[in-house]
Every structure is written in C-alpha cells, then in structure tokens.
C-alpha cells in the first residue's frame, strides 16, 4: 500500500476549500442549471431544508436531509419530455425534488482526521462526496510522514499536549473538534479533488502511474451505449449511474462498435439546456452528438427563456436572439469541427469523444480527465479505428491506485506519461 494513503488524512485535501452551500430540493430547475455550471463533476448535492433555523445537527441527522446528486444529464432528460417541451416556462420553474433521483448513499460525513485510505475505500464503494467539518484549528498535516514525527494522528490542533495515543483507528462519526462558531460550517470533497491530489503524488504511487490501465484492470466493460441511428431520447430511458454517460456507437460488420460520440453529464455540463433537450427529443443519437449543419437540419428552434452558458452570437451585438434558431452543434455547447459522414448524412463534427488506448498509462488517463474536467475516458483498441472496448471512470481509477503490487500480473510501461 503506497505510504501516501497511510500518512495523509482528509483534512490535507480540504485546505483552502470553500465553505459548502446547501442546494435545497425546493429550488427550481433554473436555479439548478446555474449551480451545476459552478459545480464539480457536473452535479450538485440536493438537500432537504432544516426543520427549524439554527438547529444543531450531528452527522446522522444531517445526512438524513440529503436527497441525492443532480447532474446536467438528469436535467436535459427531464426537459426533453413531451410535457416539458410543450411548456418550457413551467418546466424550468419545476422544483428539483421532482427531477433528482433519491440516493442517500452518495454522500458521507467524515472527520478531517480520517485517513486518506479510508476515504478512498468509501469512494470505491460508491460515495461521491465527502462532507468535512471546517475547523479554524485544522492546519493540515504537511509532513508526509507525520505519524513518525508526532507518534499519533493529529485529530485537532486544540490538544497538542494531550497524552500519547498510538491507536490509529479513526472514528469517522465523531463530532468535529472545531469551535461553536464553525460547528455548522462544512466543505465538500469530490472524487475529482482526490484525483487532483493523487496526480501530485505520482512518485509515491510508483510503479502504478506508469502501468497500463489494462494491466491494472481499470477498464470497465459494463458501459451503456446507444446506436447512432436510434432516437437520441433512447439514451435516457435508463440513465447510467457512474459514470453518467452513454456512448453513441456505430456497429461494424464484425459485431464490434465504433464510438462516434457520447451523451453524458460532463459533455452537457455547461450547454444550452433547452436547446439540448429539444435535440434529444427530436434527433437521432448520431445527429445529436455530431451536431447538424444549419442547411441540413431543416428545423428551427424557438428562443428560450433560460440564460444559456453558451453565447449564441447575437448577444454580443446587443440585439439578443428573438428569431427562430436552427439546431447546430454550437447551440448545445459542442464545438464544431470537420464534417463527418455517417451513413448517408453529413454532420458537422464536434470535438471527438475523450478516448485512450488499452495500453495508456494510468497517469496519462488521470491527466486527461483532470485537464478536460471529465468524469470518464472511453477506451478503444490499440490497433483499430475507434473500436470501443470499455470506459475508465473515477471509481476505476481509485480501485487501481489502491491495488496491492502482488495483484499486478503484468506491468506495461508506455514510453511516456503522455502516451494515449
């Protein structure tokens, strides 16, 4: 087990993290769209309101108020329903309680002194956010081998002269030692935060970072997909949980599939939600992910009331957009590129789906995810043209970095970290 997991604690990762602001289930979809644009991992935790203002909660009662995590794909799928498309003004005013999928297992509250290895185990089991109490006394454990210097875990900064205690078992449910003024202040730690911390500790994780994802067993073959010729709305019939992504594929004669794009929370993170919802309900999956040229689509979109995270080009002139718009890759936040032919239709290509090879190093995949703020990377065969074999998500990476060296049957070292 790499020493970085044993001698670091959750508090080390929360230094400088902003205070968590709860997003309540009574807020509207319109408010959720704005909040998701500023979130990590393309989603926001949704909470029930406290029974009365100023109440003091413990960890158990606080988690009883947690509802679930709402992401961008959930909202686009909701807005793509027939009822919402008929009255979008009403749809965006809908409380998020009617959209979020309840799942109380996605969040857990832990103490700042919780060991990093314990936090990783929680996330490997499905926890996506760790709620950590903020303490004015907590200054982190900057020394890598702090246990050797102090002889015990520093549970707080208020008891530096307390009796020695060599018991390393941490009670993650005990109350925070922070003062009364900070008792109800927390920060939220995501899996992206953990990966960002780990990529700064690659040397301590050796030889895992240079090992291929296939040798580490990090490739997940249980992914969701939809054929490009099918209606895009088919992708939302049963939304995948982790990662929240559906590969859009094109079958080839040998029974395999080529990936041409994806419908995912990370790709829709800062899109024009109403435009994306219209496209999801009216276009094929291939048309949706590739974007349709204006002169090919032959369809138009009304202007929407929701402020888009993507400028439509007219706002810069001050004229606004009051005319009917034709659907294009720009209108849902996809960047146009070269024209690509699929079947008999020509589509304006957006940026290609984020992919890696089966021989890509773990460090390279981690760097890809962080640089693109993505929750996953699609895996394609080494010597083929975009033949899809699986996906690597946060949970797969966390499982890989905590593997015991003896469990590695083969270590494949690519020529460099940038090998993709």
């Amino acid at each position: 087990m790499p020493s970085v997991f044993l001698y670091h604690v959750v508090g080390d990762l929360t230094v400088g993290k902003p205070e968590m602001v709860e997003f309540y289930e009574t807020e509207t979809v319109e408010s959720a769209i704005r909040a998701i644009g500023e979130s990590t991992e393309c989603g926001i935790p949704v909470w029930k309101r406290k029974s009365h203002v100023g109440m003091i909660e413990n960890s158990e009662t606080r988690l009883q108020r947690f509802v679930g995590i709402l992401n961008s794909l959930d909202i686009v799928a909701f807005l793509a329903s027939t009822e919402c498309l008929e009255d979008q003004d009403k749809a965006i005013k809908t409380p998020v309680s009617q959209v979020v999928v309840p799942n109380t297992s996605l969040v857990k509250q832990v103490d700042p002194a919780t060991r990093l290895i314990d936090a990783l185990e929680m996330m490997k089991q499905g926890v996506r956010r760790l709620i950590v109490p903020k303490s004015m006394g907590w200054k982190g454990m900057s020394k890598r081998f702090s246990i050797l210097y102090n002889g015990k875990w520093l549970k707080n900064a208020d008891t530096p002269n307390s009796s020695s205690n060599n018991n390393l078992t941490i009670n993650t449910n005990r109350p925070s030692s922070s003062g009364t003024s900070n008792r109800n202040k927390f920060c939220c730690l995501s899996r992206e935060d953990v990966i960002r911390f780990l990529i700064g500790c690659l040397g301590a994780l050796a030889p895992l970072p240079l090992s291929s994802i296939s040798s580490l067993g990090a490739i997940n073959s249980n992914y969701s997909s939809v054929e490009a010729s099918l209606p895009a709305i088919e992708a939302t019939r049963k939304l995948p949980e982790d990662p929240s992504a559906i590969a859009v594929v094109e079958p080839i004669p040998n029974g395999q599939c080529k990936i041409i794009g994806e419908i995912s929370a990370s790709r829709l993170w800062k899109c024009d939600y109403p435009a994306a919802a219209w496209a999801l309900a009216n276009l094929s999956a291939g048309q949706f992910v590739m974007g349709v040229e204006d002169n090919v689509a032959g369809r138009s979109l009304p202007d929407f009331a929701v402020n888009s995270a993507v400028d439509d080009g007219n706002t810069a002139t001050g004229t606004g957009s009051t005319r009917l718009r034709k659907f294009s890759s720009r209108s849902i936040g996809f960047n146009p590129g070269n024209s690509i032919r699929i079947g008999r239709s020509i589509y304006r290509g957006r940026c290609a789906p984020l992919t890696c090879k089966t021989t890509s190093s773990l460090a390279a995949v981690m760097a890809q995810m962080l640089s693109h703020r993505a929750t996953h990377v699609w895996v394609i065969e080494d010597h083929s043209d975009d033949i899809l074999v699986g996906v690597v998500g946060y949970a797969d990476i966390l499982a890989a970095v905590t593997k015991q060296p003896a469990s590695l049957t083969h270590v494949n070292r690519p020529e460099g970290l940038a090998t993709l």
Side-chain angles (χ1 to χ4, degrees):
M1 182 65 63
S3 59
V4 67
F5 298 144
L6 301 176
Y7 302 128
H8 275 284
V9 292
V10 170
D12 297 334
L13 279 66
T14 61
V15 175
K17 291 284 290 182
E19 181 181 344
M20 181 184 73
V21 178
E22 293 184 353
F23 188 88
Y24 298 116
E25 63 177 354
T26 54
E27 297 284 345
T28 65
V29 169
E30 186 176 15
S31 299
I33 290 174
R34 290 192 292 267
I36 288 175
E38 302 172 356
S39 69
T40 60
E41 295 190 30
C42 341
I44 51 174
V46 178
W47 302 81
K48 297 177 182 177
R49 290 186 180 275
K50 296 179 180 179
S51 56
H52 59 273
V53 179
M55 67 176 292
I56 303 300
E57 298 178 304
N58 57 31
S59 134
E60 182 178 353
T61 56
R62 182 173 295 104
L63 293 181
Q64 287 176 353
R65 295 194 296 108
F66 174 69
V67 180
I69 293 180
L70 181 69
N71 64 41
S72 53
L73 183 55
D74 295 328
I75 292 182
V76 171
F78 168 74
L79 294 177
S81 66
T82 303
E83 181 181 353
C84 291
L85 289 175
E86 290 176 350
D87 190 348
Q88 290 198 333
D89 289 337
K90 178 182 177 182
I92 63 174
K93 300 299 182 184
T94 302
V96 297
S97 58
Q98 298 184 29
V99 184
V100 63
V101 178
N103 189 343
T104 57
S105 65
L106 300 180
V107 163
K108 187 175 180 62
Q109 181 175 325
V110 299
D111 192 81
T114 302
R115 296 186 305 171
L116 181 56
I117 184 60
D118 297 327
L120 291 179
E121 288 300 324
M122 297 176 198
M123 289 184 166
K124 285 165 57 178
Q125 298 302 318
V127 174
R128 300 188 196 175
R129 300 286 198 283
L130 294 177
I131 307 302
V132 187
K134 290 182 71 68
S135 170
M136 296 299 291
W138 178 260
K139 298 180 180 179
M141 296 168 62
S142 58
K143 293 181 179 179
R144 180 180 173 192
F145 298 104
S146 57
I147 187 173
L148 301 181
Y149 292 106
N150 298 284
K152 59 183 177 61
W153 290 105
L154 296 179
K155 295 186 178 182
N156 60 68
D158 298 328
T159 58
N161 298 319
S162 60
S163 59
S164 177
N165 180 11
N166 291 319
N167 183 7
L168 299 185
T169 302
I170 302 296
N171 179 7
T172 60
N173 292 321
R174 73 177 179 85
S176 171
S177 57
S178 56
T180 304
S181 60
N182 294 298
R183 186 173 298 173
N184 288 320
K185 294 184 178 180
F186 300 85
C187 62
C188 187
L189 195 68
S190 69
R191 294 177 299 180
E192 180 183 299
D193 296 322
V194 174
I195 300 298
R196 196 173 299 279
F197 173 81
L198 293 179
I199 207 168
C201 308
L202 294 182
L205 299 177
L208 292 175
L210 291 181
S211 303
S212 69
I213 54 175
S214 58
S215 69
L216 295 173
I219 303 174
N220 182 2
S221 59
N222 296 321
Y223 57 87
S224 298
S225 65
V226 61
E227 290 189 18
S229 59
L230 295 177
I233 197 67
E234 291 293 326
T236 66
R237 299 304 183 193
K238 186 178 180 181
L239 294 177
E241 293 184 358
D242 189 32
S244 184
I246 303 98
V248 178
V249 299
E250 187 179 38
I252 55 180
N254 63 3
Q256 295 178 305
C257 293
K258 296 173 59 176
I259 182 170
I260 65 171
E262 66 174 24
I263 300 174
S264 67
S266 57
R267 190 61 74 178
L268 296 170
W269 186 4
K270 298 184 180 183
C271 72
D272 183 327
Y273 285 78
W278 179 92
L280 195 66
N282 291 276
L283 303 179
S284 70
Q287 290 173 323
F288 181 85
V289 298
M290 303 309 294
V292 183
E293 292 190 63
D294 288 353
N295 61 349
V296 175
R299 305 186 187 188
S300 56
L301 282 169
D303 189 42
F304 298 109
V306 177
N307 291 327
S308 172
V310 181
D311 295 334
D312 75 351
N314 290 327
T315 54
T317 64
T319 60
S321 176
T322 57
R323 60 181 176 81
L324 295 180
R325 296 181 298 167
K326 293 179 179 179
F327 174 71
S328 68
S329 55
R330 280 194 182 94
S331 68
I332 58 172
F334 292 153
N335 297 324
N338 297 327
S339 296
I340 298 177
R341 180 176 294 276
I342 301 178
R344 299 181 179 178
S345 302
I346 297 178
Y347 301 94
R348 180 179 293 277
R350 62 161 181 84
C351 6
L354 194 61
T355 61
C356 66
K357 303 287 188 178
T358 57
T359 53
S360 295
S361 68
L362 182 65
V365 175
M366 292 168 64
Q368 271 187 292
M369 294 174 68
L370 291 178
S371 61
H372 290 271
R373 299 297 303 275
T375 60
H376 58 281
V377 178
W378 300 103
V379 185
I380 58 177
E381 289 184 353
D382 293 334
H383 306 292
S384 64
D385 186 16
D386 295 334
I387 302 299
L388 183 63
V389 296
V391 65
V392 177
Y394 283 126
D396 304 306
I397 288 181
L398 296 179
V401 296
T402 53
K403 272 185 176 292
Q404 296 295 336
S407 66
L408 301 180
T409 57
H410 175 71
V411 176
N412 183 6
R413 289 177 177 266
E415 295 182 359
L417 289 182
T419 301
L420 298 178

